[in-house]
Every structure is written in C-alpha cells, then in structure tokens.
Amino acid sequence: MSSDCIFCRIIEGSLPSSKVYEDELAVAFMDIMPVNPGHVLVVPKKHVRELSELDEDTGAHLFRVAMRIEKALRASGLQCEGTNLLQNNGREAWQEVMHVHLHVIPRFRGDKVKVHFGQQQARREELGLWAGQIKARLQP
Ligand code: DGP
C-alpha cells in the first residue's frame, strides 16, 4: 500500500470506484477516462510500480482475470466486437499511474480510437541481432 497511489487508495476504499471484480490478489474497476464505454483496469492489490517488478504468479493471475472480464464484456450488451489488452510500463511507454495495471478495452467498428505506432519494416540482420540480445538475457 502506498498512500500517494491512486490505485492503492481505490483498493483500500478511500477513493470511490466502480468495481467489477475482486479476489485476494487482484481487483478490477472501470477506468475513469475510458477509451470506449466498458474500459476496465485489472490491478494487483499489492503496490508494484511496473511489470518487471511483479512476480510471475500475480502477473499470470492478472491475465486470467482480464480474460474473464473480456468474455463478460463481449456478453454484456456494451458495444464490443473486439478488444485490446494494453499494459503500459514506464512514462516513456504511456504509463501515467505507477501501479501495475492491465487495460481491457472494448472495440467496435466505427469507434474513435486512433493509435499510431510508427512501425517500419526491419531488416533480417537487425531482427537476428535483437533476438540474440534478448535471448542472452532470458531467464530459464
Ligand atoms: P496508464 O496510462 O496505462 O497508466 O493508464 C492509467 C489509467 O488510469 C488511465 O486510463 C486513467 C485511469 N485513471 C486515472 N486515475 C483514475 C482514478 O482515479 N480512477 C479510475 N477509475 N481510473 C483512473
């Protein structure tokens, strides 16, 4: 628990939220700035800033909860023809609230979402080089 963290305060109940799910490890509530109606955040109860600091069991649990919410969203009657699961880490990667969270975002034809990743085709040698750098640091 971090008293200056918005999500910790939501979890302990001192800030209001619209919760959709809660168990011993995680809580899920409506995002106050939804990309589309039905946008949910899945959050670990313990205060951890970024994914790289989170234990794998809790990370796997967050994904399990997100999958269940995704299914519920599709059946909810809200507009949801597809979904994006989004997880930002670090200010440079759009993380605004420094408490790990997984976005479950409903999408539908004609929604107003626009994201520009600025992708460019890579060369085969570059792909091999980058793959080697990552493989060298992968934990077994
Ligand atoms: P991110 O950029 O990945 O850190 O997303 C943070 C999200 O948290 C953003 O979509 C808005 C949401 N958010 C910020 N403050 C509050 C709050 O007080 N309550 C709720 N429910 N959501 C919040």
Side-chain angles (χ1 to χ4, degrees), residues 6-7 10 15 29-33 39 41 88 94-97 101 103:
I6 291 170
F7 288 175
I10 286 175
L15 273 184
F29 50 86
M30 306 312 295
D31 192 306
I32 207 168
M33 297 271 291
H39 181 165
L41 299 171
N88 300 328
W94 307 334
Q95 186 177 7
E96 287 172 8
V97 178
H101 51 281
H103 298 253

Side-chain angles (χ1 to χ4, degrees), residues 60-80:
H61 185 69
L62 295 184
F63 202 81
R64 190 176 303 118
V65 171
M67 288 177 70
R68 291 175 58 188
I69 287 167
E70 202 261 2
K71 258 191 200 156
L73 250 177
R74 286 177 180 271
S76 67
L78 288 156
Q79 269 190 299
C80 182

